[in-house]
Amino acid sequence: MDFGLLALLPPVVAIILAILTRNVVPALFVGVWIGATMLSGWNPFLGLYATFNDFIIPSLGDEWNATVLLYCGLFGVLIVVFQTTGGAQALANAFANRIRSRKGAQASTGFLGLTLFIDDYFNALTVGSVMRSITDKLRVSREKLAYIVDSTSAPTCLLVPVSTWVVYVMGLIGTEFVRMDIDQSEYLMYLATIPFNYYAILAIFTVFIVIFLRFDYGPMAKAELRAVTTGKLIRDGGQPPAADEITQAEPVTGTPKIRNLLVPMLVLLALIPPLFLWTGNYPENSFVVAIGEADGGISILLAAVAAIFVALIMGVSQKMFSFMEAVGLIMKGIKGMMLVFVILILAWSIGSVSSEVGTDQFLVNVAEQSLISPALIPILIFIAGGIIAFTTGTSYGTFAIMIPIAIPLAVSMDISLPLAIAAVLSGGIFGDHCSPISDTSVLSSAGAASDHIDHVNTQLPYAITAGIVGMICFFIAGITNSWWIALLTGLVLMTVVAFLLTKLWGQKIPVENQ
């Protein structure tokens, strides 16, 4: 059936409801139901039946989808085990013993954020809570701590190819590839998006030029001046949330050791390349062919299982928990990923229903018939993703809505697939960093014990600056199809703009207090 303009109804309803309810789960479900109702002759009762029978249940039963759900659960287990064995706490303690200055405290916080790349929630709460006592002692404002935590958590999870974010996005990409009969590895495609993920790269880059070059401007400059000159780490009347009001790790029993984090992480990272070769039938296939034909999902799944096994053995051997408690940690980790499971299933379902009603084809036809240059499409994708993430507060929901639209659009208009997908990912992170209802921003405020609105207000100028420069990068990449020319331009431009804003909108902090 040709629904014409009405083909936009499922995703548009999902977007509007997500904005109004600030909850992506019911919004996605209603979007699926609307599409199923359209396909059922506009009968809402048959549409409800089709919602489950034709879309949700098949999404659950698909072999690839089941693999994605399983290794999302396994990453949840890893996060819980790392919290319980205290490896991140030990790593922070090691940093603390070598810190003598405000710059050192901020840099150590940033580097710790880059280290804990497995999950943004784990990153935000762990880095903020363990570094807070150090930054407090050296008079780093809570707003600055929350900014460093927020701007290194989610971006790092997108740029390092082993994290809960990676497996989530791979699930969305893989489903679209199967639906469109694209014979490419979803994991290799994800790797190809990394150098094009301009906002994520610029967000991290900005953190470190702010730290090392002292490029504080806007409300952040005032917060830092207040902390240095008065010792007030939060403003008068500020209300910092407590991390334990949102989520709190189990107390570590025994002495936390850095190896409790590093050894399982090394096992995870070291096993992925050989597993890729094995699942790609090496040496029967050549090295390059084996990598291209590898099963990325099962490779990461097996590596995660091995890392969990090693982490649990280390915890039990150090008497941090018993065998039965280890089983409980496994169940807790899987349950902790339940929201991700639900969003993924509904994301797959709305992608399927949108395809059935012809949403992607309608958008493709409009784009082809319009006068919009293909070079502008990545910018429009970035802006759309940013708006959705800002108004909904969720990057995951943004990816679920935009990836099924961006991939067919890129294929039809002969736009680089990695560039189009990266525009979705960057837009989602950008909107998330600007949004006061973002879950990662709330957790960053909680971990740093910063007033949440103060955190959002002080981070906003940096996020907007990186977002505007990121759009310029996407435009250059769209014209040149060169990731490095666009990235190099963006890094230089970001440095110049931050320098100028510091001169025009900064506060002079005595050098001896740096």
Side-chain angles (χ1 to χ4, degrees):
M1 290 183 287
D2 184 5
F3 290 101
L5 183 62
L6 290 177
L8 295 177
L9 206 55
V12 167
V13 168
I15 292 170
I16 292 173
L17 282 180
I19 293 171
L20 294 177
T21 64
R22 298 181 179 180
N23 192 323
V24 74
V25 172
L28 287 172
F29 178 82
V30 172
V32 177
W33 173 67
I34 290 287
T37 298
M38 293 167 62
L39 294 167
S40 302
W42 296 95
N43 186 316
F45 301 104
L46 290 178
L48 185 61
Y49 170 79
T51 296
F52 288 95
N53 189 68
D54 297 343
F55 298 105
I56 292 179
I57 292 175
S59 294
L60 276 168
D62 181 82
E63 181 180 353
W64 162 252
N65 293 356
T67 303
V68 172
L69 294 175
L70 184 55
Y71 61 57
C72 277
L74 292 175
F75 270 77
V77 175
L78 266 179
I79 293 163
V80 169
V81 175
F82 285 157
Q83 289 174 328
T84 307
T85 56
Q89 176 71 57
L91 189 61
N93 292 342
F95 279 141
N97 294 332
R98 295 167 174 80
I99 295 172
R100 298 290 182 271
S101 66
R102 294 182 73 251
K103 183 184 293 186
Q106 295 173 62
S108 298
T109 303
F111 286 124
L112 184 59
L114 299 182
T115 303
L116 304 181
F117 51 77
I118 193 168
D119 180 75
D120 60 324
Y121 285 9
F122 172 61
N123 184 313
L125 284 170
T126 302
V127 175
S129 59
V130 302
M131 294 300 294
R132 191 168 64 234
S133 60
I134 302 167
T135 56
D136 282 359
K137 182 174 64 175
L138 293 166
R139 293 193 174 190
V140 176
S141 67
R142 295 282 179 81
E143 293 94 329
K144 180 59 123 354
L145 176 61
Y147 161 66
I148 297 171
V149 169
D150 203 357
S151 292
T152 56
S153 56
T156 301
C157 292
L158 273 178
L159 295 175
V160 178
V162 183
S163 72
T164 53
W165 286 60
V166 174
V167 296
Y168 174 79
V169 175
M170 277 176 57
L172 298 174
I173 294 173
T175 299
E176 288 305 302
F177 279 6
V178 170
R179 186 175 62 80
M180 298 184 64
D181 198 26
I182 298 176
D183 186 21
Q184 293 188 44
S185 164
E186 62 284 335
Y187 187 67
L188 293 182
M189 177 55 65
Y190 187 92
L191 294 180
T193 70
I194 292 175
F196 290 104
N197 201 336
Y198 296 120
Y199 178 79
I201 296 171
L202 288 170
I204 294 174
F205 176 74
T206 303
V207 166
F208 287 99
I209 63 171
V210 165
I211 292 171
F212 288 109
L213 301 180
R214 300 196 293 274
F215 285 171
D216 289 315
Y217 54 86
M220 185 69 79
K222 294 180 180 179
E224 282 288 86
L225 184 63
R226 179 203 68 223
V228 168
T229 57
T230 69
K232 295 179 179 179
L233 303 175
I234 59 175
R235 65 173 172 82
D236 292 334
Q239 298 180 337
D244 55 6
E245 291 177 0
I246 299 173
T247 183
Q248 184 68 34
E250 292 292 328
V252 178
T253 56
T255 304
K257 300 177 177 63
I258 295 178
R259 65 172 182 264
N260 292 341
L261 174 72
L262 297 185
V263 172
M265 292 291 280
L266 289 174
V267 169
L268 178 69
L269 295 173
L271 282 178
I272 288 178
L275 284 170
F276 257 69
L277 293 174
W278 180 60
T279 59
N281 203 26
Y282 180 84
E284 284 77 6
N285 289 329
S286 67
F287 181 87
V288 174
V289 172
I291 292 293
E293 295 184 357
D295 188 333
I298 198 68
S299 299
I300 297 176
L301 186 149
L302 293 175
V305 169
I308 290 169
F309 186 67
V310 169
L312 290 175
I313 287 178
M314 293 179 70
V316 171
S317 65
Q318 295 171 40
K319 295 183 170 31
M320 290 186 160
F321 43 78
S322 66
F323 174 78
M324 290 306 298
E325 288 170 333
V327 174
L329 291 178
I330 293 173
M331 299 310 300
K332 180 180 179 181
I334 293 173
K335 286 190 291 186
M337 298 297 287
M338 190 58 65
L339 180 59
V340 176
F341 295 159
V342 173
I343 293 176
L344 265 176
I345 293 165
L346 291 174
W348 291 324
S349 301
I350 200 168
S352 298
V353 80
S354 296
S355 175
E356 290 292 324
V357 301
T359 304
D360 50 0
Q361 193 56 51
F362 178 81
L363 289 171
V364 166
N365 293 338
V366 170
E368 288 176 341
Q369 294 169 12
S370 69
L371 299 178
I372 298 176
S373 167
L376 295 176
I377 296 297
I379 297 178
L380 296 178
I381 292 173
F382 174 83
I383 293 172
I387 292 172
I388 295 170
F390 176 80
T391 51
T392 62
T394 168
S395 299
Y396 272 28
T398 301
F399 302 159
I401 291 170
M402 288 298 299
I403 284 180
I405 293 173
I407 290 178
L409 198 59
V411 170
S412 70
M413 299 192 71
D414 197 26
I415 300 168
S416 164
L417 261 181
L419 178 61
I421 296 170
V424 173
L425 304 181
S426 280
I429 293 288
F430 169 59
D432 194 75
H433 277 172
C434 296
S435 176
I437 60 172
S438 159
D439 47 4
T440 49
S441 291
V442 170
L443 290 175
S444 298
S445 298
S450 167
D451 182 279
H452 179 57
I453 299 303
D454 289 346
H455 164 48
V456 174
N457 289 339
T458 51
Q459 177 168 265
L460 199 57
Y462 298 112
I464 291 175
T465 307
I468 293 172
V469 175
M471 283 192 284
I472 295 172
C473 291
F474 280 113
F475 179 68
I476 295 173
I479 293 175
T480 65
N481 203 30
S482 171
W483 66 266
W484 68 268
I485 292 176
L487 180 59
L488 183 61
T489 303
L491 296 177
V492 172
L493 188 58
M494 187 70 222
T495 304
V496 172
V497 172
F499 170 77
L500 293 175
L501 286 172
T502 301
K503 291 295 183 183
L504 297 172
W505 198 15
Q507 299 282 342
K508 189 170 180 60
I509 298 175
V511 175
E512 62 269 18
N513 290 315
Q514 296 295 335

